[in-house]
Amino acid sequence: MPGRNFLFVPGPTNVPERILRAMNRAMEDHRSSAFPDLATGLFRDLTHVFKTTAGQPFLFPATGTGGWEAALVNTLSPGDRLLAPRYGQFSHLWIDLAQRHGMRVDIIDVDWGEGAPVDRIEAILSQDRQHEIKGVLIVHNETATGVTSDLGAVRRAIDAAQHPALLYVDGVSSIASIDFRMDEWQVDLAVTGSQKGLMLPAGLGIVCASPKALAAREQAKCPRVFFDFGDMIKANATGYFPYTPSIPMLYGLRESLAIIMEEGLEAIFARHARLAEGVRAAVRAWGLKLCAKAPQWYSNTVSAIMVPEGKNAAEVIDVAFRRYNLALGAGLARVAGKLFRIGHLGDLNELMLLGAIAGAEMAMRDVGIQVTPGAGVAAAAEHYRSTAAPLPERPGAPQAADAVQAPPGRSSPRTAVRA
Ligand SMILES: *Cc1c(COP(=O)(O)O)cnc(C)c1O
């Protein structure tokens, strides 16, 4: 099919050209004297993305699922009790992983479309006077339903119950796209993967551990080899890894972190919020509903859009892909067929999203969902127009007076940020 594929699943996300080029290189010796420069720079800059000074990041050649496992097995023992709300396929799978490691999970089932129930978390922790519960597992952004939970409120709930449980957070589809503050929210284990906000291929499981989490290793009896923090800490201390790292992924991450720091985390969060609001304007204009039940749950990285009763969302996704070369996210598990998802995270801008919204609209009409032609595109476009930043000064344009005053190096916004 001519033209480009429109990749709008909520991961893997679009990999920017700069990252593709940075990854396309010859292999090199990961035990050379030059290698630690690369590795230590990555660890340093990752702490900036996690917003931590005390936390230690770990890079595993794995995926987000590997990150989940690493976080649990390094800090817990079989038989340990955990508390975990379940409100979508990803919270479900993390609970399943913990159970398969022999942990006992107190599950709080929540309607899909809502997020972490902080009052219930506080009540359960308050009743646990013996402090049997060792950890609380929270999926920050439930990618299956497009729901973001309030992690600051979860932290306050744990503190209000005066409970020492570790706070485990899945930030796979939030970190580097939605505000995340490891130190401020005292997150003990933060997990992410490479193929969402970091704009890389899948292939890295990234975990950041607080000092309290690192101390919990002493008591943790889960067997661990590949995911052992101890081996990593020893090798990472001198800028190496205990086994062969993926060289292209590390160079890709180097470029990803450079791109993120050039744009700035706060600007990235604001861009995601604005792009997401345009998608939500389209959904309203279509007369459809999000899976997320109230604005407090709306995710800025993925929108899960319910199709009308009696229609099959899988058909929308199939037609969008085969006819328009547009990849939309599927409904997972209990919401299969009931919704499709538009991922709006990573390397994205307004017109890319308008393409996805147009394609979704066309595919819906093709399968008999009566949305007004152009309604979603128009609503999103007007949102983007009305919220656009003021035009930057035109680089290189003759500006008689300004030309003399403009300080050197201010020719493009990018150099200005770097400087
Ligand atoms: C994608 C995702 C995962 C799973 O990551 P894999 O890289 O597929 O192992 C876990 N949690 C959330 C919230 C995700 O979005």
Side-chain angles (χ1 to χ4, degrees), residues 10-11 63-66 68 90 139 141-143 170-173 193 195-196 202 204:
T63 70
T65 304
W68 278 344
F90 291 96
V139 173
N141 186 77
E142 177 50 82
T143 319
D170 171 338
V172 180
S173 61
Q195 78 275 24
K196 312 242 167 127
L204 292 174

Side-chain angles (χ1 to χ4, degrees), residues 140-155:
H140 185 198
N141 186 77
E142 177 50 82
T143 319
T145 58
V147 162
T148 304
S149 288
D150 183 347
L151 286 181
V154 172
R155 176 76 264 166

Side-chain angles (χ1 to χ4, degrees), residues 211-335:
K212 186 173 158 191
L214 293 176
R217 288 185 307 133
E218 313 294 327
Q219 278 76 256
K221 298 210 169 47
C222 281
R224 50 191 186 265
V225 181
F226 187 78
F227 286 123
D228 187 40
F229 283 173
D231 294 342
M232 276 288 181
I233 290 169
K234 251 183 257 154
N236 289 174
T238 50
Y240 295 98
F241 287 90
Y243 38 74
T244 320
S246 165
I247 298 285
M249 287 303 293
L250 296 186
Y251 278 102
L253 180 60
R254 178 61 276 153
E255 195 64 19
S256 158
L257 292 168
I259 291 172
I260 288 170
M261 289 189 297
E262 281 166 27
E263 186 176 357
L265 278 175
E266 306 312 314
I268 291 172
F269 302 154
R271 173 168 56 86
H272 281 77
R274 179 167 166 270
L275 291 176
E277 194 48 49
V279 174
R280 292 190 285 263
V283 174
R284 280 192 296 274
W286 288 330
L288 298 178
K289 288 203 157 45
L290 291 169
C291 181
K293 293 216 165 106
Q296 73 176 114
W297 307 121
Y298 289 172
S299 164
N300 287 336
T301 57
V302 54
S303 292
I305 300 157
M306 310 294 296
V307 297
E309 200 76 32
K311 303 290 182 189
N312 184 357
E315 281 178 31
V316 178
I317 295 164
D318 179 54
V319 169
F321 183 68
R322 289 193 296 136
R323 188 168 281 161
Y324 305 117
N325 208 5
L326 165 66
L328 298 168
L332 303 175
R334 92 164 59 146
V335 288

